[in-house]
Amino acid sequence: MQNTKHYKDISKLVLAVQELSLARNLEGIMAIVRHVARSITGADGATFVLRDHNMCYYADEDAISPLWKGQRFPLENCISGWTMLNKESAMIEDIYADSRIPHEAYRPTFVKSLLMVPIRTIDPIGAIGNYWAQKHKPTDDEVTLLKALADITAVSLENVKIFHLLEKKLEEREEMLLHVSEQNKKLEEFCYIISHNLRAPLSNIALLGSMIQGHESIEKKLQYMDKLKPITDFLNNTFDELVQVTQVRTSNDLEIDNLNLETETNHVLHLLEPEIRSARAEIKTDFPERKSLCYPRKYLQSIIQNLVSNSIRFRSPDRYPYIHIRWFEENEWMKLTIKDNGLGIDLKQHGEKLFKLHKTFHQHTDSKGFGLFITKSQVEAMGGKIMAQSSPNEGSTFTVYLQKQDYAGRSE
Amino acid sequence: MQAEVNKINTLYLVDDDKSFQFLAQEIIEPTNLVEEIKIFSNGLEALNFLKSVSKPEELPEIILLDINMPVMDGWEFLAEFMPLQPKLGKKIAIYIVSSSISPADMQRARATSLVTDYIIKPVSESQFIELVRNLKSK
């Protein structure tokens, strides 16, 4: 008879082990343990107590009537605390005869006898309690079973902790991997474009070289030599711009300057004066009340200069350029819009290529397609974004969202 | 090969690189293998001209097509050319001639049945001549 009961209890424990091995969080573990703890000993109640610094937290329970679920008691005033501090189980047949028991806390409950075992004997992290409504002396078997359950619980809690740690690590790793592969893709694209942009003029030079060598006629040789100059000029400009591009991409520790938007904008317009005048461009500027912005000066000037000079370069032959430069604050952004009445771009056809390297949409000899790429890089390097709206023959509006940088405490 | 007498009537060169346009002409013309070279600076110019040709014999035998071009690039040209081709009544060999060494571009070219071959610049003088000769002997 005794053996059958013992066998049944062991079976319950084995089942609990299987269930616990699948638990993935604390709640799952507690739900299993409180139930099994009560049923393997046939007690009237079971509690699941966690150590929370110097307090015992009654995290969960399964009992005929409420015990202390959700409450916290100091380690020193509580039998579960005693168990954890002394790293041994407490077996109490008559709780009101035991000085370790805070009798006040027990009076509202049904409890007459209890058995409390620590979870993880070395440095306990919690305890499992069993309670009886009738005076009961816990048997050796009951103690052994509950201790076994506590040990398994300790392992399960440890597993859950490791599981979550691994899960978090894995997530971080995946995020990192995604980031790296994105960077890699960008870099690859960048390399192909560089190689393309340098290859094209270089291969022309190589071809010209062999033709100069291969031809007997002096006139031909001279004619070919004349062709070298524009190619090398182009190569030179391309190279300069590529250097600029790589500089944007690598400047992680940029100096942030405390800038006045009006001063900087006017400075750029002053630099562009010859182009503005020769195109007979009219320029209107608007500034917000608060004109200060913390941003790398070099970038801000380059952003304005690129966009304004684009507006001038891609002007319509049918009308004089009118360019509206408007700065304004919107939520956390300092926004810049540059609106022109120029040629415009068919965004349906070219939209996705607009900010990429070496994609030009107008047949201009001096347009190498780097400008907007550089601008985008300079905006994004500081956490901003840039957008374009345009319709062919009506004009374009570029909107730049700049993040207001913290001047003093620049975040790393 | 020298015995071949039939010439290539028309060759289209579609490339925005003015220097390359000049060089290609300088190399191909003296070979006397091609009757006429027509030059276009982007896909759209070439496409519009193709559409305007009424007789199949006036169509080119060969198109040398760059990929990266403004207005309409090589891929966009091929996409537009695809539905046009069966109506033309003439087989046109398209060679992509580009300085792009991107495997993506090469793969894309290989996957397009319209493209005969992908040639990476720089193209040497002899390569150029070989290319035109080969086509002629086919």
Side-chain angles (χ1 to χ4, degrees), chain B residues 1-28:
Chain B
M1 268 189 192
Q2 295 293 348
E4 290 282 343
V5 277
N6 57 318
K7 270 188 164 188
I8 289 172
N9 282 319
T10 316
L11 178 148
Y12 284 8
L13 174 67
V14 192
D15 197 317
D16 63 326
D17 181 345
K18 295 271 185 289
S19 304
F20 188 74
Q21 291 176 0
F22 168 79
L23 291 169
Q25 261 177 308
E26 283 294 302
I27 293 169
I28 298 169

Side-chain angles (χ1 to χ4, degrees), chain A residues 168-334:
Chain A
K168 214 179 128 213
K169 280 252 163 79
L170 205 67
E171 247 169 61
E172 281 172 9
R173 210 45 67 84
E174 259 166 40
E175 215 167 279
M176 217 148 72
L177 214 62
L178 199 74
H179 182 72
V180 169
S181 75
E182 259 169 36
Q183 286 286 96
N184 209 24
K185 227 178 107 198
K186 270 191 198 169
L187 203 65
E188 226 170 68
E189 196 187 344
F190 182 70
C191 281
Y192 287 132
I193 286 160
I194 288 186
S195 82
H196 173 267
N197 288 10
L198 295 178
R199 272 180 92 90
L202 276 174
S203 67
N204 285 339
I205 291 172
L207 206 48
L208 263 174
S210 74
M211 286 162 73
I212 291 169
Q213 270 193 325
H215 270 269
E216 296 297 328
S217 127
I218 295 290
E219 284 94 272
K220 270 286 168 199
K221 280 183 196 281
L222 286 175
Q223 191 197 354
Y224 291 157
M225 275 158 91
D226 273 348
K227 293 281 171 188
L228 277 173
K229 175 89 170 96
I231 302 175
T232 48
D233 283 351
F234 179 82
L235 191 61
N236 221 357
N237 289 341
T238 305
F239 189 77
D240 283 349
E241 292 203 356
L242 280 175
V243 168
Q244 249 196 75
V245 171
T246 43
Q247 273 172 351
V248 177
R249 297 175 65 95
T250 53
S251 40
N252 289 319
D253 39 3
L254 282 163
E255 263 296 307
I256 304 278
D257 305 293
N258 197 353
L259 304 173
N260 180 302
L261 292 175
E262 191 163 10
T263 316
E264 298 306 320
T265 306
N266 287 337
H267 175 74
V268 172
L269 292 178
H270 180 72
L271 290 177
L272 290 171
E273 186 61 39
E275 293 161 51
I276 293 171
R277 198 176 323 176
S278 81
R280 298 218 199 163
E282 187 189 334
I283 297 193
K284 181 179 177 341
T285 51
D286 274 323
F287 299 97
E289 230 162 84
R290 223 170 59 98
K291 294 189 184 70
S292 74
L293 178 74
C294 293
Y295 211 78
R297 172 174 278 120
K298 204 178 78 185
Y299 279 16
L300 189 81
Q301 289 184 351
S302 160
I303 292 165
I304 304 169
Q305 175 157 359
N306 254 331
L307 292 176
V308 174
S309 76
N310 268 355
S311 286
I312 297 171
R313 267 202 296 167
F314 302 119
R315 62 183 178 267
S316 162
D318 306 329
R319 50 192 177 263
Y320 292 126
Y322 177 79
I323 303 165
H324 186 179
I325 304 169
R326 185 169 162 240
W327 283 101
F328 58 101
E329 280 184 88
E330 195 179 279
N331 304 324
E332 76 268 34
W333 301 105
M334 179 59 85

Side-chain angles (χ1 to χ4, degrees), chain A residues 4-15:
Chain A
T4 328
K5 185 184 178 302
H6 192 65
Y7 175 76
K8 270 189 185 165
D9 292 340
I10 295 273
S11 307
K12 281 179 193 162
L13 193 67
V14 170
L15 202 68

Side-chain angles (χ1 to χ4, degrees), chain B residues 40-86:
Chain B
F40 305 95
S41 289
N42 65 63
L44 190 64
E45 285 180 11
L47 192 74
N48 286 340
F49 194 86
L50 268 176
K51 284 181 182 164
S52 73
V53 173
S54 50
K55 293 179 204 146
E57 58 267 29
E58 285 171 13
L59 287 167
E61 281 79 18
I62 177 168
I63 297 177
L64 305 181
L65 181 68
D66 187 21
I67 295 177
N68 291 302
M69 289 179 288
V71 186
M72 183 189 277
D73 68 20
W75 301 125
E76 289 162 345
F77 171 82
L78 286 173
E80 298 278 334
F81 181 76
M82 183 86 87
L84 216 63
Q85 193 211 21

Side-chain angles (χ1 to χ4, degrees), chain A residues 15-116:
Chain A
L15 202 68
V17 171
Q18 286 171 348
E19 283 179 26
L20 281 171
S21 71
L22 298 173
R24 286 290 171 260
N25 52 40
L26 180 61
E27 287 70 31
I29 290 175
M30 291 194 304
I32 297 163
V33 172
R34 67 185 171 136
H35 173 70
V36 177
R38 189 178 158 193
S39 87
I40 50 171
T41 58
D44 299 310
T47 54
F48 193 108
V49 189
L50 286 169
R51 182 169 178 170
D52 183 5
H53 302 285
N54 55 350
M55 302 290 271
C56 305
Y57 171 53
Y58 282 74
D60 209 345
E61 67 191 23
D62 181 1
I64 49 171
S65 65
L67 294 166
W68 310 276
K69 187 175 172 175
Q71 296 187 52
R72 281 181 167 77
F73 303 101
L75 283 177
E76 299 76 26
N77 296 352
C78 176
I79 191 68
S80 61
W82 184 91
T83 301
M84 288 184 232
L85 291 172
N86 292 279
K87 300 171 188 176
E88 59 179 274
S89 42
M91 226 185 315
I92 303 169
E93 200 181 344
D94 180 0
I95 58 160
Y96 295 105
D98 197 301
S99 60
R100 291 171 297 183
I101 298 289
H103 297 149
E104 287 314 305
Y106 281 75
R107 260 185 245 291
T109 70
F110 64 82
V111 179
K112 299 280 186 304
S113 309
L114 67 76
L115 167 61
M116 185 67 73

